[in-house]
Amino acid sequence: MAEQMLNDDIRGQVVEILASMQQPVEVVFFGTQDPACEYCADTERLLKEIAELSDQISVQVHDLQSDAELAQQYGIDKAPGFIIAAREGERLMDYGIRYAGIPAGHEFTSLINDLLIVSQRKSGLAEETRQALAELEQPVHLQVFVTPTCPYCPRSVVLAHQFAFESDKVVAEMVEAMEFPELADQYGVSGVPHTSINFGAGEVIGAAPEAQLLAEIRSVLEQGQPAENG
């Protein structure tokens, strides 16, 4: 049997935090058998260990290649990758919350926060920000590049995921920069957190407040930069 990734102390803390979950959450995970995916097995194990700590969390496990149609449906094109969705009876509500890479180190905090956001069905954003996001008419794609040792990164990841939760026009993906270095290079990531908007049409460097991220999104949309990859 594989050694647990979470020690007893951390498990106890997580149990206490997850006690405030209110409604069911489903994590839909995509891995691959490709040995080049160094963290696929660890990410799957981590998600399953967390799910053991709350009866409000369940995990689906899929293969990125053999379940390609489902992966495409959820916009997952990297492994390890997963979404955090709300379960409503037999239906899953996809809020556009994405992870590419293992949420290790400081990013473990992002994962736990996102589980609470989806379970409580509240973004936690300011009313002014929520109103602005409700008025979005064009799609927005956010990619927040992080590393496990970055203490400021979770703030940027959770904020992007709050935006995605609040608006069906927004998809937000945490990207672990060291696992996907070519993508980080493509967007000129030299430090983290680095939030790319609509595939490089705009960016926010550092942990920005709600208003700054919103202003940069508006600027990109006003320039007519679509959320299209390529």
Side-chain angles (χ1 to χ4, degrees), residues 8-221:
D8 289 342
D9 183 45
I10 292 175
R11 289 170 73 89
Q13 293 177 44
V14 172
V15 166
E16 288 186 22
I17 295 168
L18 296 183
S20 61
M21 293 184 72
Q22 296 174 358
Q23 298 187 63
V25 171
E26 186 105 5
V27 180
V28 185
F29 169 81
F30 291 86
T32 176
Q33 299 303 311
D34 187 341
C37 185
E38 186 178 351
Y39 294 102
C40 278
D42 284 348
T43 304
E44 180 181 341
R45 276 174 52 207
L46 177 63
L47 295 172
K48 286 180 175 178
E49 283 190 26
I50 293 170
E52 292 172 359
L53 304 179
S54 171
D55 58 8
Q56 297 281 21
I57 304 172
S58 52
V59 181
Q60 292 183 26
V61 176
H62 300 278
D63 182 271
L64 189 62
Q65 281 77 38
S66 59
D67 297 315
E69 189 174 332
L70 186 63
Q72 185 177 16
Q73 175 187 326
Y74 287 125
I76 298 293
D77 58 2
K78 308 173 196 66
F82 62 93
I83 75 164
I84 300 177
R87 175 161 286 287
E88 301 281 357
E90 294 302 310
R91 282 195 320 137
L92 287 188
M93 301 289 293
D94 177 13
Y95 291 105
I97 296 173
R98 308 274 184 272
Y99 280 78
I102 188 168
H106 288 286
E107 284 314 310
F108 184 73
T109 303
S110 300
L111 174 58
I112 299 302
N113 272 299
D114 284 340
L115 290 169
L116 293 178
I117 288 168
V118 176
S119 178
Q120 295 171 359
R121 310 295 198 256
K122 292 180 181 178
S123 69
L125 293 169
E127 182 61 30
E128 183 180 351
T129 306
R130 294 176 63 203
Q131 289 178 1
L133 291 172
E135 294 168 3
L136 287 178
E137 296 179 354
Q138 299 164 265
V140 174
H141 189 272
L142 305 175
Q143 288 172 299
V144 186
F145 290 87
V146 305
T147 60
T149 56
C150 167
Y152 307 106
C153 288
R155 178 177 164 189
S156 293
V157 170
V158 172
L159 181 60
H161 286 160
Q162 287 173 299
F163 273 44
F165 181 91
E166 194 62 48
S167 172
D168 59 7
K169 296 292 186 184
V170 180
V171 171
E173 178 182 46
M174 181 213 86
V175 181
E176 210 286 274
M178 294 190 296
E179 287 182 61
F180 303 99
E182 291 181 2
L183 191 62
D185 289 344
Q186 180 182 335
Y187 294 124
V189 176
S190 58
V192 290
H194 179 128
T195 303
S196 172
I197 303 170
N198 286 5
F199 305 98
E203 64 184 19
V204 174
I205 310 298
E210 290 177 32
Q212 184 181 344
L213 179 58
L214 185 61
E216 190 59 38
I217 289 172
R218 282 173 163 163
S219 175
V220 168
L221 297 180

